[in-house]
Amino acid sequence: MANLARQLRQEQREQQTTIAPKAPKKKAQQKRWLSPGEKILGITFGALVCFGSIHIISNQASIYELNAEIQDTNDMIQEQQKSNSDLSIQVSELSQYDRIKEKARKLGLELNDQNVKVVQD
């Protein structure tokens, strides 16, 4: 009987091991593509790139505006220089001796050689 009791116990143990609830399996965690730290670094880097590109574009726009103003100023300077040269030519034409003498005669002035003084530099 002892042998029978042993067999019974052995069978009960085998049944308990087969029937015993298995420990719940841990879900295999899927390895994430990016860790949270990497995500933060990526977002920070993206924000810096956006900020830098906006800053560069705004600087280029201001440089473009300044270049346009410089061109306008250069055009105005050239027009003024042309006007000044035209006026200097007109002054030299109007200050000719024959013209001055003619205007003086029309106004009733006469040339008196005795009253003329020569000034030398």
Side-chain angles (χ1 to χ4, degrees):
M1 206 134 96
N3 204 9
L4 203 70
R6 282 185 191 163
Q7 282 180 349
L8 242 163
R9 283 185 192 163
Q10 217 172 24
E11 287 177 10
Q12 286 176 355
R13 284 183 191 161
E14 287 176 5
Q15 286 177 358
Q16 285 179 355
T17 56
T18 57
I19 298 175
K22 295 180 181 177
K25 290 184 180 178
K26 292 184 179 178
K27 289 185 179 179
Q29 291 183 348
Q30 293 179 347
K31 187 175 181 181
R32 294 185 178 180
W33 188 61
L34 293 174
S35 68
E38 290 173 336
K39 287 180 184 177
I40 291 171
L41 286 175
I43 290 171
T44 304
F45 179 73
L48 287 175
V49 167
C50 289
F51 176 75
S53 61
I54 289 171
H55 188 66
I56 289 172
I57 290 171
S58 66
N59 283 343
Q60 289 295 326
S62 64
I63 288 171
Y64 178 78
E65 288 177 11
L66 286 176
N67 282 338
E69 288 178 17
I70 289 171
Q71 289 297 325
D72 291 341
T73 305
N74 284 340
D75 291 343
M76 289 173 41
I77 289 171
Q78 288 177 352
E79 288 176 17
Q80 190 63 42
Q81 285 176 343
K82 183 179 178 183
S83 174
N84 288 347
S85 65
D86 290 344
L87 289 174
S88 65
I89 291 171
Q90 189 177 5
V91 165
S92 66
E93 288 175 357
L94 293 175
S95 64
Q96 290 178 354
Y97 177 73
D98 295 334
R99 184 180 173 284
I100 293 172
K101 188 176 178 182
E102 186 65 32
K103 284 286 186 182
R105 281 192 187 152
K106 284 182 183 177
L107 294 174
L109 299 174
E110 293 182 12
L111 180 62
N112 188 353
D113 290 334
Q114 294 174 356
N115 287 339
V116 175
K117 293 183 183 179
V118 178
V119 178
Q120 294 180 356
D121 290 336

mmCIF file of all heavy atoms in Angstrom, residues 87-115:
data_model
loop_
_atom_site.group_PDB
_atom_site.id
_atom_site.type_symbol
_atom_site.label_atom_id
_atom_site.label_comp_id
_atom_site.label_asym_id
_atom_site.label_seq_id
_atom_site.Cartn_x
_atom_site.Cartn_y
_atom_site.Cartn_z
ATOM 1 N N LEU A 87 24.187 123.227 -64.384
ATOM 2 C CA LEU A 87 24.142 124.592 -63.845
ATOM 3 C C LEU A 87 25.509 125.269 -63.912
ATOM 4 O O LEU A 87 25.590 126.473 -64.187
ATOM 5 C CB LEU A 87 23.625 124.585 -62.406
ATOM 6 C CG LEU A 87 22.141 124.266 -62.241
ATOM 7 C CD1 LEU A 87 21.803 124.143 -60.757
ATOM 8 C CD2 LEU A 87 21.277 125.319 -62.909
ATOM 9 N N SER A 88 26.585 124.519 -63.691
ATOM 10 C CA SER A 88 27.922 125.123 -63.774
ATOM 11 C C SER A 88 28.236 125.525 -65.225
ATOM 12 O O SER A 88 28.861 126.565 -65.468
ATOM 13 C CB SER A 88 28.986 124.182 -63.221
ATOM 14 O OG SER A 88 29.084 123.025 -64.026
ATOM 15 N N ILE A 89 27.795 124.722 -66.174
ATOM 16 C CA ILE A 89 27.963 125.086 -67.579
ATOM 17 C C ILE A 89 27.166 126.345 -67.891
ATOM 18 O O ILE A 89 27.642 127.267 -68.571
ATOM 19 C CB ILE A 89 27.545 123.918 -68.498
ATOM 20 C CG1 ILE A 89 28.526 122.769 -68.384
ATOM 21 C CG2 ILE A 89 27.430 124.375 -69.947
ATOM 22 C CD1 ILE A 89 28.085 121.497 -69.074
ATOM 23 N N GLN A 90 25.945 126.416 -67.366
ATOM 24 C CA GLN A 90 25.108 127.596 -67.596
ATOM 25 C C GLN A 90 25.736 128.841 -66.955
ATOM 26 O O GLN A 90 25.709 129.924 -67.547
ATOM 27 C CB GLN A 90 23.718 127.348 -67.003
ATOM 28 C CG GLN A 90 22.703 128.397 -67.357
ATOM 29 C CD GLN A 90 21.326 128.049 -66.804
ATOM 30 O OE1 GLN A 90 21.164 127.076 -66.079
ATOM 31 N NE2 GLN A 90 20.345 128.842 -67.172
ATOM 32 N N VAL A 91 26.337 128.709 -65.769
ATOM 33 C CA VAL A 91 27.002 129.839 -65.112
ATOM 34 C C VAL A 91 28.185 130.316 -65.950
ATOM 35 O O VAL A 91 28.386 131.524 -66.140
ATOM 36 C CB VAL A 91 27.467 129.440 -63.685
ATOM 37 C CG1 VAL A 91 28.455 130.437 -63.120
ATOM 38 C CG2 VAL A 91 26.267 129.316 -62.772
ATOM 39 N N SER A 92 28.963 129.361 -66.460
ATOM 40 C CA SER A 92 30.119 129.766 -67.278
ATOM 41 C C SER A 92 29.661 130.458 -68.563
ATOM 42 O O SER A 92 30.307 131.405 -69.031
ATOM 43 C CB SER A 92 31.009 128.562 -67.588
ATOM 44 O OG SER A 92 30.327 127.641 -68.409
ATOM 45 N N GLU A 93 28.553 130.018 -69.148
ATOM 46 C CA GLU A 93 28.039 130.679 -70.352
ATOM 47 C C GLU A 93 27.523 132.083 -70.028
ATOM 48 O O GLU A 93 27.722 133.023 -70.798
ATOM 49 C CB GLU A 93 26.919 129.845 -70.973
ATOM 50 C CG GLU A 93 27.385 128.577 -71.651
ATOM 51 C CD GLU A 93 26.226 127.727 -72.150
ATOM 52 O OE1 GLU A 93 25.047 128.102 -71.925
ATOM 53 O OE2 GLU A 93 26.493 126.673 -72.753
ATOM 54 N N LEU A 94 26.833 132.224 -68.894
ATOM 55 C CA LEU A 94 26.268 133.526 -68.549
ATOM 56 C C LEU A 94 27.319 134.511 -68.026
ATOM 57 O O LEU A 94 27.079 135.722 -68.031
ATOM 58 C CB LEU A 94 25.164 133.360 -67.496
ATOM 59 C CG LEU A 94 23.904 132.631 -67.966
ATOM 60 C CD1 LEU A 94 22.954 132.441 -66.798
ATOM 61 C CD2 LEU A 94 23.231 133.379 -69.101
ATOM 62 N N SER A 95 28.474 134.030 -67.606
ATOM 63 C CA SER A 95 29.489 134.935 -67.067
ATOM 64 C C SER A 95 30.547 135.318 -68.110
ATOM 65 O O SER A 95 31.611 135.826 -67.740
ATOM 66 C CB SER A 95 30.161 134.296 -65.847
ATOM 67 O OG SER A 95 30.847 133.124 -66.221
ATOM 68 N N GLN A 96 30.265 135.121 -69.362
ATOM 69 C CA GLN A 96 31.202 135.544 -70.399
ATOM 70 C C GLN A 96 31.242 137.082 -70.458
ATOM 71 O O GLN A 96 30.248 137.768 -70.221
ATOM 72 C CB GLN A 96 30.793 134.977 -71.760
ATOM 73 C CG GLN A 96 30.981 133.478 -71.852
ATOM 74 C CD GLN A 96 30.522 132.935 -73.193
ATOM 75 O OE1 GLN A 96 29.954 133.665 -74.012
ATOM 76 N NE2 GLN A 96 30.761 131.662 -73.412
ATOM 77 N N TYR A 97 32.413 137.570 -70.768
ATOM 78 C CA TYR A 97 32.652 139.016 -70.758
ATOM 79 C C TYR A 97 31.742 139.753 -71.737
ATOM 80 O O TYR A 97 31.175 140.801 -71.407
ATOM 81 C CB TYR A 97 34.124 139.307 -71.081
ATOM 82 C CG TYR A 97 34.433 140.762 -71.150
ATOM 83 C CD1 TYR A 97 34.501 141.534 -69.995
ATOM 84 C CD2 TYR A 97 34.642 141.405 -72.373
ATOM 85 C CE1 TYR A 97 34.765 142.872 -70.047
ATOM 86 C CE2 TYR A 97 34.914 142.751 -72.438
ATOM 87 C CZ TYR A 97 34.987 143.476 -71.274
ATOM 88 O OH TYR A 97 35.261 144.820 -71.340
ATOM 89 N N ASP A 98 31.551 139.227 -72.922
ATOM 90 C CA ASP A 98 30.725 139.900 -73.939
ATOM 91 C C ASP A 98 29.273 140.027 -73.464
ATOM 92 O O ASP A 98 28.643 141.074 -73.663
ATOM 93 C CB ASP A 98 30.761 139.116 -75.255
ATOM 94 C CG ASP A 98 32.150 139.099 -75.881
ATOM 95 O OD1 ASP A 98 32.911 140.048 -75.603
ATOM 96 O OD2 ASP A 98 32.444 138.133 -76.621
ATOM 97 N N ARG A 99 28.759 139.031 -72.851
ATOM 98 C CA ARG A 99 27.378 139.078 -72.375
ATOM 99 C C ARG A 99 27.229 140.104 -71.252
ATOM 100 O O ARG A 99 26.248 140.856 -71.224
ATOM 101 C CB ARG A 99 26.959 137.695 -71.869
ATOM 102 C CG ARG A 99 25.509 137.649 -71.453
ATOM 103 C CD ARG A 99 25.115 136.275 -70.943
ATOM 104 N NE ARG A 99 23.783 136.319 -70.420
ATOM 105 C CZ ARG A 99 23.413 136.829 -69.261
ATOM 106 N NH1 ARG A 99 24.304 137.360 -68.470
ATOM 107 N NH2 ARG A 99 22.151 136.832 -68.878
ATOM 108 N N ILE A 100 28.180 140.126 -70.331
ATOM 109 C CA ILE A 100 28.120 141.083 -69.222
ATOM 110 C C ILE A 100 28.199 142.507 -69.758
ATOM 111 O O ILE A 100 27.476 143.419 -69.312
ATOM 112 C CB ILE A 100 29.255 140.805 -68.207
ATOM 113 C CG1 ILE A 100 29.012 139.454 -67.524
ATOM 114 C CG2 ILE A 100 29.359 141.909 -67.170
ATOM 115 C CD1 ILE A 100 30.141 138.990 -66.648
ATOM 116 N N LYS A 101 29.072 142.725 -70.741
ATOM 117 C CA LYS A 101 29.235 144.047 -71.328
ATOM 118 C C LYS A 101 27.944 144.482 -72.016
ATOM 119 O O LYS A 101 27.508 145.638 -71.894
ATOM 120 C CB LYS A 101 30.395 144.017 -72.336
ATOM 121 C CG LYS A 101 30.796 145.362 -72.870
ATOM 122 C CD LYS A 101 32.012 145.203 -73.763
ATOM 123 C CE LYS A 101 32.410 146.513 -74.362
ATOM 124 N NZ LYS A 101 33.540 146.396 -75.270
ATOM 125 N N GLU A 102 27.305 143.565 -72.708
ATOM 126 C CA GLU A 102 26.044 143.861 -73.396
ATOM 127 C C GLU A 102 24.948 144.212 -72.396
ATOM 128 O O GLU A 102 24.186 145.172 -72.609
ATOM 129 C CB GLU A 102 25.635 142.656 -74.247
ATOM 130 C CG GLU A 102 24.431 142.883 -75.118
ATOM 131 C CD GLU A 102 24.691 143.927 -76.197
ATOM 132 O OE1 GLU A 102 25.825 144.042 -76.686
ATOM 133 O OE2 GLU A 102 23.731 144.652 -76.524
ATOM 134 N N LYS A 103 24.832 143.476 -71.291
ATOM 135 C CA LYS A 103 23.830 143.770 -70.265
ATOM 136 C C LYS A 103 24.096 145.134 -69.631
ATOM 137 O O LYS A 103 23.151 145.890 -69.350
ATOM 138 C CB LYS A 103 23.854 142.690 -69.158
ATOM 139 C CG LYS A 103 23.212 141.393 -69.538
ATOM 140 C CD LYS A 103 21.709 141.558 -69.555
ATOM 141 C CE LYS A 103 21.059 140.214 -69.795
ATOM 142 N NZ LYS A 103 19.632 140.308 -69.870
ATOM 143 N N ALA A 104 25.360 145.446 -69.426
ATOM 144 C CA ALA A 104 25.708 146.737 -68.821
ATOM 145 C C ALA A 104 25.290 147.881 -69.751
ATOM 146 O O ALA A 104 24.782 148.906 -69.292
ATOM 147 C CB ALA A 104 27.195 146.796 -68.533
ATOM 148 N N ARG A 105 25.473 147.749 -71.027
ATOM 149 C CA ARG A 105 25.080 148.798 -71.982
ATOM 150 C C ARG A 105 23.566 148.967 -72.001
ATOM 151 O O ARG A 105 23.060 150.083 -72.106
ATOM 152 C CB ARG A 105 25.577 148.451 -73.380
ATOM 153 C CG ARG A 105 27.024 148.758 -73.544
ATOM 154 C CD ARG A 105 27.421 148.683 -75.005
ATOM 155 N NE ARG A 105 28.856 148.832 -75.093
ATOM 156 C CZ ARG A 105 29.602 148.336 -76.036
ATOM 157 N NH1 ARG A 105 29.054 147.628 -77.002
ATOM 158 N NH2 ARG A 105 30.888 148.549 -76.046
ATOM 159 N N LYS A 106 22.838 147.823 -71.917
ATOM 160 C CA LYS A 106 21.380 147.909 -71.907
ATOM 161 C C LYS A 106 20.888 148.646 -70.674
ATOM 162 O O LYS A 106 19.867 149.316 -70.708
ATOM 163 C CB LYS A 106 20.755 146.517 -71.957
ATOM 164 C CG LYS A 106 20.810 145.872 -73.310
ATOM 165 C CD LYS A 106 20.122 144.512 -73.285
ATOM 166 C CE LYS A 106 20.245 143.827 -74.635
ATOM 167 N NZ LYS A 106 19.648 142.498 -74.627
ATOM 168 N N LEU A 107 21.584 148.491 -69.564
ATOM 169 C CA LEU A 107 21.185 149.154 -68.321
ATOM 170 C C LEU A 107 21.705 150.600 -68.250
ATOM 171 O O LEU A 107 21.448 151.287 -67.269
ATOM 172 C CB LEU A 107 21.690 148.359 -67.117
ATOM 173 C CG LEU A 107 21.045 146.983 -66.946
ATOM 174 C CD1 LEU A 107 21.738 146.225 -65.814
ATOM 175 C CD2 LEU A 107 19.569 147.120 -66.643
ATOM 176 N N GLY A 108 22.452 151.028 -69.257
ATOM 177 C CA GLY A 108 22.911 152.415 -69.295
ATOM 178 C C GLY A 108 24.276 152.624 -68.663
ATOM 179 O O GLY A 108 24.646 153.764 -68.369
ATOM 180 N N LEU A 109 25.015 151.607 -68.456
ATOM 181 C CA LEU A 109 26.358 151.749 -67.881
ATOM 182 C C LEU A 109 27.374 151.839 -69.016
ATOM 183 O O LEU A 109 27.230 151.200 -70.041
ATOM 184 C CB LEU A 109 26.680 150.569 -66.974
ATOM 185 C CG LEU A 109 25.757 150.379 -65.772
ATOM 186 C CD1 LEU A 109 26.111 149.090 -65.048
ATOM 187 C CD2 LEU A 109 25.880 151.545 -64.815
ATOM 188 N N GLU A 110 28.395 152.649 -68.783
ATOM 189 C CA GLU A 110 29.448 152.790 -69.788
ATOM 190 C C GLU A 110 30.770 152.407 -69.165
ATOM 191 O O GLU A 110 30.987 152.587 -67.962
ATOM 192 C CB GLU A 110 29.515 154.228 -70.298
ATOM 193 C CG GLU A 110 28.289 154.615 -71.088
ATOM 194 C CD GLU A 110 28.397 156.039 -71.622
ATOM 195 O OE1 GLU A 110 29.493 156.611 -71.563
ATOM 196 O OE2 GLU A 110 27.380 156.532 -72.079
ATOM 197 N N LEU A 111 31.664 151.929 -69.989
ATOM 198 C CA LEU A 111 32.978 151.521 -69.524
ATOM 199 C C LEU A 111 33.905 152.713 -69.527
ATOM 200 O O LEU A 111 34.108 153.359 -70.559
ATOM 201 C CB LEU A 111 33.525 150.402 -70.413
ATOM 202 C CG LEU A 111 34.906 149.867 -70.054
ATOM 203 C CD1 LEU A 111 34.898 149.258 -68.661
ATOM 204 C CD2 LEU A 111 35.369 148.867 -71.083
ATOM 205 N N ASN A 112 34.444 153.037 -68.368
ATOM 206 C CA ASN A 112 35.409 154.130 -68.247
ATOM 207 C C ASN A 112 36.743 153.486 -67.887
ATOM 208 O O ASN A 112 36.925 152.973 -66.797
ATOM 209 C CB ASN A 112 34.961 155.106 -67.160
ATOM 210 C CG ASN A 112 35.819 156.348 -67.128
ATOM 211 O OD1 ASN A 112 36.834 156.436 -67.820
ATOM 212 N ND2 ASN A 112 35.399 157.309 -66.327
ATOM 213 N N ASP A 113 37.701 153.558 -68.825
ATOM 214 C CA ASP A 113 38.970 152.875 -68.621
ATOM 215 C C ASP A 113 39.768 153.476 -67.466
ATOM 216 O O ASP A 113 40.616 152.803 -66.878
ATOM 217 C CB ASP A 113 39.815 152.928 -69.905
ATOM 218 C CG ASP A 113 39.222 152.046 -70.999
ATOM 219 O OD1 ASP A 113 38.531 151.075 -70.643
ATOM 220 O OD2 ASP A 113 39.444 152.336 -72.188
ATOM 221 N N GLN A 114 39.516 154.706 -67.125
ATOM 222 C CA GLN A 114 40.265 155.338 -66.065
ATOM 223 C C GLN A 114 39.820 154.831 -64.671
ATOM 224 O O GLN A 114 40.558 154.916 -63.704
ATOM 225 C CB GLN A 114 40.096 156.859 -66.123
ATOM 226 C CG GLN A 114 40.727 157.430 -67.371
ATOM 227 C CD GLN A 114 40.448 158.925 -67.513
ATOM 228 O OE1 GLN A 114 39.721 159.488 -66.691
ATOM 229 N NE2 GLN A 114 41.002 159.545 -68.545
ATOM 230 N N ASN A 115 38.608 154.338 -64.543
ATOM 231 C CA ASN A 115 38.106 153.848 -63.266
ATOM 232 C C ASN A 115 38.349 152.348 -63.043
ATOM 233 O O ASN A 115 38.039 151.818 -61.986
ATOM 234 C CB ASN A 115 36.613 154.115 -63.140
ATOM 235 C CG ASN A 115 36.305 155.560 -62.912
ATOM 236 O OD1 ASN A 115 37.156 156.307 -62.472
ATOM 237 N ND2 ASN A 115 35.089 155.964 -63.244
#
